[in-house]
Amino acid sequence: MALKIGIVGMNGIGKNHAACYKEDELADLVAVCDVVKERADAAAEKYGVKAYYSLKDMVENEPDLQIVDITTGGIDNGSWHFEPAMEAVGYGKHVLVEKPICHDVKEARELVAFADKQKVYLGCNLNHYFTPPAEKAKQYVDNGEIGELVYCLAKMGFNGGEAGYALAGSPKIKGHPYFHMKAFLTHPLSVMRYFCGDITHIQTFSDRPGFRRSAGDVMVSINSIHMKFANGGVGYLLSQRGDAVYGLGGWWSLEMAGTRGTFCIENCVEKVSYWKAEKGIPAISVQPKPEVTDYGTNDFGRTFNNRLHAFLEDVSNNVARDQLRANGRDALAVLEYTFAVIESYERGGETVRPHPLPPLHGDPLFMK
């Protein structure tokens, strides 16, 4: 049976989510909400649903509503997430929230704890690993074909350069030095954690190029982040926001190397290659031939459909809350890492240990 959904925030991302739900057999979009009346009305007309201008009115006038999808934005693309998410959880509704889960890590901790207390599902749109290449790569990991983690290299950001640069005029970006870190690092850090596990140490060197400085742009747009995983492996993340053109692997690449093999995903949705570590491979000069799975697409937009469908599947199947894919605790983890990056930067590149996650207690209905 389709799940009844209301969306809060009908700007670009909200429209994207609405279009995904209209295609999904597990979704029944019944309402949209925005404090800007014109946006709510336009979306309601387009998708054939009812418009509301406050979350309270939407929830109280739609008693069968099961899921509230928070697609609001705000400063650093996240300052308007906490209040509507808390309100929806308070009504006992399942919640999916856009990334980052919150603008402030203390708010995120409170939201995750409140959802656990209310015993509702809390998910986040960590959509970058809901892709066919990531699914194939996870099979390599789960089948033991990677082995013990040695290193993980991630390169994610935006192609650009000095020639195409323009100073951002939006108040959610302008004057906020950590916009890129808060608005974007959720994605690469969530992918690295998905494949490699929890991160215990973070150290960064971050800066911005001269053309941003000359324009009075305060955004810390270049991030060179080093990390250690709980399992002993090491990692490196390079992220930048349109300051240069990426080379091999494209705008989004991830390489995970272990004692039994290595995979590399290129351009997020395009392809994944796997190199098996075999006896007799020369230490230098000769690269073993990889197994390449090329999906023949660069359509990143379908990651939204894939991720939203996964949330609907998990809610429909009544999975244990801690087994919900891309759940609130997962989103909190990567926000803790992001704030550790900021702290390391502010301390001149010191190593920082991220704040520990709340313990998992397990659901007695699912633990036998």
Side-chain angles (χ1 to χ4, degrees), residues 37-90:
K37 184 177 184 299
E38 293 76 15
R39 285 182 191 162
D41 290 344
E45 182 176 357
K46 181 174 182 178
Y47 299 109
V49 299
K50 191 165 182 180
Y52 293 93
Y53 317 112
S54 77
L55 189 151
K56 180 178 184 292
D57 286 346
M58 180 178 75
V59 172
E60 293 185 354
N61 285 281
E62 301 289 345
D64 296 329
L65 196 67
Q66 295 163 282
I67 293 172
V68 175
D69 186 346
I70 309 294
T71 60
T72 49
I75 296 170
D76 297 330
N77 280 359
S79 65
W80 298 336
H81 291 170
F82 176 70
E83 290 185 3
M86 287 288 286
E87 188 175 0
V89 170

Side-chain angles (χ1 to χ4, degrees), residues 245-267:
V245 177
Y246 277 129
L248 294 174
W251 70 277
W252 188 118
S253 63
L254 181 100
E255 180 174 302
M256 179 181 179
T259 54
R260 296 178 181 174
T262 298
F263 75 76
C264 181
I265 300 173
E266 298 180 51
N267 284 316

Side-chain angles (χ1 to χ4, degrees), residues 27 48 56 106 113 152 225 244 296 334 342 350 358 366-367:
K56 180 178 184 292
K106 293 179 182 178
C152 181
I225 304 167
V334 294
I342 293 170
E350 290 183 13
F366 293 87
M367 298 184 71

Side-chain angles (χ1 to χ4, degrees), residues 85 113 141 260 322:
V141 175
R260 296 178 181 174
D322 60 10

Side-chain angles (χ1 to χ4, degrees), residues 10 50 124 266 347-348:
M10 294 313 301
K50 191 165 182 180
C124 187
E266 298 180 51
R347 292 185 175 186

Side-chain angles (χ1 to χ4, degrees), residues 8 55-56 59 68-72 78-98 100-123 328:
V8 179
L55 189 151
K56 180 178 184 292
V59 172
V68 175
D69 186 346
I70 309 294
T71 60
T72 49
S79 65
W80 298 336
H81 291 170
F82 176 70
E83 290 185 3
M86 287 288 286
E87 188 175 0
V89 170
Y91 278 108
K93 305 301 180 183
H94 304 307
V95 170
L96 180 72
V97 62
E98 260 297 335
I101 185 172
C102 290
H103 176 250
D104 182 82
V105 72
K106 293 179 182 178
E107 291 180 343
R109 294 168 191 161
E110 184 179 347
L111 174 59
V112 170
F114 189 43
D116 187 56
K117 179 181 178 182
Q118 293 291 97
K119 301 187 185 306
V120 298
Y121 290 114
L122 173 63

